[in-house]
Amino acid sequence: MDEATKRKTYFLLAATTIIWGIQPLCIKWLVTTWSPVTITAMRYYLIGTTLLALSVYRGERLLPPRSCLLGLFFMGVAGIGLNNVMQFTGLAISTVTNCTLIAAASPAITAFMAVIFVSERLSLLAWGGIVLSFFGALLIISHGSLNVIQTMSFNAGDILFLLAQVAWTTYSLIALKIMRRMSALQTTGWAGLFGAFIVTGYGLVTGQFAPVMLTPTLWIAFFYTVIFGGVMAMLFWNIGVHNAGASVTSIFQNITPVVGMIGGVLCFGEVIGIMELLGAAAIFGGVYLTTHGGLR
């Protein structure tokens, strides 16, 4: 990447993590009325259609190359079906805090899988950044208290969070190959529609696809997940994967706890202490090391 592309890419990835840092709150509200299957399917019908309409407006062909169909299908299965349904189901039975903590392990999972499947290799400096940012996230979530870490409880929802991260990494690695032949708009749009069809079929068979009318507040939460958490964030993410690689892109997910910390101050009057500030500094330091250490 040249310097201008690098700055643009990192800005889009930072914006993505801010958007996704807010999204679990919206999902936590929505799962009280819609099942995780319903939320996922309804979101991605709108997300996929919107992105494909934008790609056609830009003069791109609507239908994907035949050679990309299988990859797009598996992107839909992993990144849309498995990732969303497992994450949303996890949020219904676990906590946003646990979801955020397990998401902080995603860069290490991605870097490990990238070594195996696409021969990406991070430098030692970049691996140090991953470790530093993870401990920064842990510091924020625990508020610097060892007792909080020792008394954290984990359940089936947390296993689903971990599996969701593996599914998301799989989505990103497939996208890396597909976007050599298709634009980010088309790739994200078609993967979204494939995922929506797959999830709808599963929901109809299991009786979990049952959209009902939402309250005005829940409609706002839903459209946040569509417009910001879906159309914008997923497009930005795939641009990041295309430009920077899956391993470097994934490190930006660790900014999410910082977003949650700031949200707690603004929305709930929470106080930021020295441990939280140190955690935020460690996260940004880790992101800096990974993005500047890069691939080798």
Side-chain angles (χ1 to χ4, degrees):
M1 286 190 295
D2 59 59
E3 199 59 37
T5 302
K6 184 184 292 187
R7 283 197 298 269
K8 177 184 174 183
T9 299
Y10 292 165
F11 173 79
L12 293 178
L13 289 172
T16 299
T17 58
I18 292 170
I19 291 168
W20 281 345
I22 299 169
Q23 182 166 273
L25 299 174
C26 298
I27 300 299
K28 194 75 173 174
W29 293 329
L30 284 168
V31 292
T32 61
T33 304
W34 279 1
S35 70
V37 168
T38 302
I39 296 169
T40 301
M42 296 297 286
R43 282 183 74 211
Y44 282 97
Y45 280 125
L46 292 175
I47 292 166
T49 302
T50 301
L51 290 171
L52 290 177
L54 288 172
S55 75
V56 171
Y57 177 76
R58 291 181 56 187
E60 299 175 9
R61 57 180 293 181
L62 175 61
L63 297 178
R66 190 172 299 176
S67 61
C68 294
L69 288 175
L70 188 61
L72 291 169
F73 173 80
F74 281 112
M75 283 180 69
V77 171
I80 312 306
L82 294 176
N83 174 63
N84 282 271
V85 171
M86 287 191 294
Q87 187 181 90
F88 298 168
T89 303
L91 282 169
I93 55 180
S94 188
T95 65
V96 173
T97 297
N98 284 16
C99 180
T100 304
L101 175 61
I102 292 169
S106 182
I109 295 170
T110 302
F112 178 74
M113 290 179 66
V115 168
I116 297 173
F117 295 108
V118 295
S119 300
E120 272 191 9
R121 282 174 170 77
L122 289 175
S123 67
L124 190 60
L125 185 65
W127 274 107
I130 288 176
V131 173
L132 181 62
S133 67
F134 175 78
F135 281 108
L138 188 61
L139 202 58
I140 288 176
I141 293 165
S142 66
H143 303 289
S145 171
L146 185 61
N147 185 57
V148 170
I149 298 171
Q150 291 174 335
T151 57
M152 285 185 74
S153 60
F154 295 93
N155 56 30
D158 302 311
I159 296 173
L160 290 176
F161 291 149
L162 182 61
L163 293 175
Q165 293 303 320
V166 174
W168 182 248
T169 297
T170 303
Y171 169 94
S172 297
L173 296 179
I174 298 173
L176 191 62
K177 293 180 177 288
I178 294 293
M179 285 187 293
R180 294 169 186 166
R181 288 166 283 176
M182 294 174 59
S183 70
L185 274 173
Q186 282 188 312
T187 301
T188 313
W190 276 112
L193 283 183
F194 273 120
F197 290 135
I198 292 163
V199 172
T200 299
Y202 170 77
L204 291 174
V205 170
T206 60
Q208 296 182 56
F209 182 72
V212 297
M213 186 59 66
L214 300 175
T215 64
T217 301
L218 288 180
W219 276 119
I220 293 172
F222 174 69
F223 280 109
Y224 177 92
T225 70
V226 171
I227 297 169
F228 295 99
V231 172
M232 293 173 60
M234 292 200 68
L235 180 59
F236 294 169
W237 182 266
N238 280 342
I239 290 172
V241 170
H242 180 267
N243 291 345
S247 299
V248 173
T249 297
S250 66
I251 191 65
F252 281 85
Q253 284 183 283
N254 280 0
I255 298 176
T256 301
V258 182
V259 177
M261 179 179 71
I262 295 171
V265 173
L266 296 177
C267 299
F268 306 110
E270 295 178 1
V271 177
I272 297 177
I274 187 64
M275 289 299 178
E276 287 82 358
L277 291 175
L278 287 173
I283 287 171
F284 286 117
V287 170
Y288 180 85
L289 289 177
T290 302
T291 54
H292 285 70
L295 304 173
R296 61 176 176 82

